């Protein structure tokens, strides 16, 4: 039996369902992220687990115990919000120890636990400071320590890094993953940031319009999307509308140029299908044993470690990412260009 079970959860706020028939089993010590655009139901799902929303249907089980109608304060869960939600009139140490104080734990135990938590978040000497004396990243670390101080069975995080700048976000997500693995705490994380979900998680749940689109490891979600939504939402994706030339041999045609795919092709000769390619799978120039399409350079963007080239191919535009190196010769806007990619790099979806 899974440690945390979400079984057939549904929730509506008077209109279309915010979450509909949501099913997910989470193992102990697993880090699972709910990923999707605004309004997809990920935060509503988290709030039902936390007890801030009561599901219209379904059950929530934790270690075999039914939490569905239990009040939030009895669920023994730790919650970290997008807003830091620290008490401004309390020191860092008092904020971290607040939950233990409410639980009427002995003062010496609270002191020892607070010191342990401040060491865990690498702020051992900042216990006497107040929230206004801390940076945003430090405040969120304190909020994390406060949630962990009570030794919760599950840690819930609702877009905890969205208010921070890019560099601090990267640093703090590394810390969150380190702490989660060190404590081996079961974690459910909500985010709309693909990079966060892919870098942090053991598994990712991609959601859309209240439904679960796909569940899998970060590698599975990125490399083997099972629906058009997941393919287009996670990462950058090129899509080409092609004609089927030969189903058996995997031959397709785009703008009069024939190429091959190793992916299954569903349909008959002459049918229209959508071919999808990741930018990193495409290369500038001819490559041995690879497909080739010709077009024209529309834009070149230098991004440090990679150079992104936008290429016009007939009626469509694709982007490809070239690894930056000192010897790289940048393509020029307006020049004709050959784009190549291996047959196994493209996957095919029949048009609806």
């Amino acid at each position: 039996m899974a440690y945390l079970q979400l079984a057939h959860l549904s929730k509506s706020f008077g209109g279309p369902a915010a979450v509909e028939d949501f099913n997910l089993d989470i193992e102990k010590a697993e880090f699972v992220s709910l990923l999707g655009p605004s309004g997809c139901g990920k935060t509503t799902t988290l709030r039902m687990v936390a007890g801030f929303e009561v599901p219209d249907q379904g059950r929530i089980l934790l270690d075999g115990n039914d939490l569905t109608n239990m009040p939030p304060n009895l669920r023994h869960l730790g919650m970290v919000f997008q807003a830091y939600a620290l008490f401004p009139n309390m020191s860092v140490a008092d904020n971290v120890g607040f939950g233990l104080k409410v639980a009427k734990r002995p003062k010496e135990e609270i002191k020892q636990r607070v010191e342990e938590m401040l060491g865990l978040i690498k702020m051992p000497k900042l216990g006497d400071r107040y929230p206004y004396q801390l940076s945003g990243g430090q405040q969120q670390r304190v909020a994390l320590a406060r949630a962990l101080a009570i030794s919760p069975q599950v840690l819930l995080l609702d877009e905890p890094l969205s208010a921070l700048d890019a560099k601090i976000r990267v640093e703090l997500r590394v810390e969150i993953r380190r702490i989660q693995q060190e404590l081996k705490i079961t974690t459910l994380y909500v985010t709309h940031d693909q990079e966060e979900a892919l870098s942090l998680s053991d598994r990712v749940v991609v959601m859309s319009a209240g439904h679960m689109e796909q569940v899998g490891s970060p590698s599975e979600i990125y490399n083997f999307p099972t629906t058009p939504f997941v393919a287009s939402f996670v990462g950058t994706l090129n899509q080409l509308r092609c004609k089927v030339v030969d189903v058996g041999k995997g031959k397709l045609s785009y703008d009069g140029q024939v190429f091959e795919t190793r992916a299954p092709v569903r349909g008959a000769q002459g049918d229209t299908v959508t071919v999808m390619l990741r930018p990193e799978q495409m290369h500038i120039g001819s490559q041995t044993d690879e497909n080739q399409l010709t077009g024209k350079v529309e834009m070149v963007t230098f991004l440090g470690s990679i150079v992104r080239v936008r290429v016009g191919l007939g009626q469509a535009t694709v982007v490809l990412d070239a690894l930056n190196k000192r010897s790289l010769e940048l393509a020029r806007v307006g020049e004709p260009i050959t784009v190549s990619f291996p047959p196994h790099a493209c996957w095919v979806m029949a048009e609806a």
Side-chain angles (χ1 to χ4, degrees), residues 18-146:
V19 176
E20 187 171 6
D21 197 28
F22 186 92
N23 294 277
L24 181 65
D25 288 347
I26 301 176
E27 300 300 329
K28 194 167 187 177
E30 190 176 21
F31 194 121
V32 175
S33 289
L34 305 181
L35 172 66
S38 297
C40 72
K42 55 188 186 295
T43 293
T44 299
T45 302
L46 190 79
R47 288 176 62 83
M48 285 191 284
V49 176
F52 302 140
E53 302 289 351
V54 178
D56 299 330
Q57 293 180 337
R59 300 172 70 205
I60 301 167
L61 300 175
L62 177 59
D63 201 17
N65 299 312
D66 194 333
L67 305 186
T68 311
N69 296 302
M70 188 180 292
N73 61 306
L74 298 181
R75 296 191 179 203
H76 204 58
L77 307 175
M79 184 83 181
V80 180
F81 301 92
Q82 179 178 340
Y84 315 129
L86 299 178
F87 299 110
N89 61 327
M90 291 185 183
S91 68
V92 165
D94 287 341
N95 266 283
V96 172
F98 179 77
L100 297 170
K101 185 177 180 180
V102 170
K104 295 181 168 47
R105 307 307 302 169
K107 287 185 178 180
E108 192 57 37
E109 179 184 328
I110 294 175
K111 180 182 177 182
Q112 183 176 348
R113 183 62 173 167
V114 168
E115 289 177 354
E116 181 183 341
M117 288 296 99
L118 291 180
L120 185 69
I121 63 172
K122 298 182 179 179
M123 293 174 58
K125 297 181 179 180
L126 300 183
D128 293 334
R129 293 194 182 182
Y130 285 82
Y132 74 89
Q133 296 174 306
L134 305 176
S135 67
Q138 288 174 324
Q139 290 185 58
Q140 197 58 294
R141 285 171 187 256
V142 174
L144 178 61
R146 181 178 60 186

Side-chain angles (χ1 to χ4, degrees), residues 9 21 68 117 131-132 159 161 171 217 248 253 272 288 336 347:
L9 291 183
D21 197 28
T68 311
M117 288 296 99
Y132 74 89
E159 304 208 42
L161 309 182
E171 292 175 356
S217 68
S253 172
T272 301
T288 305
W347 67 95

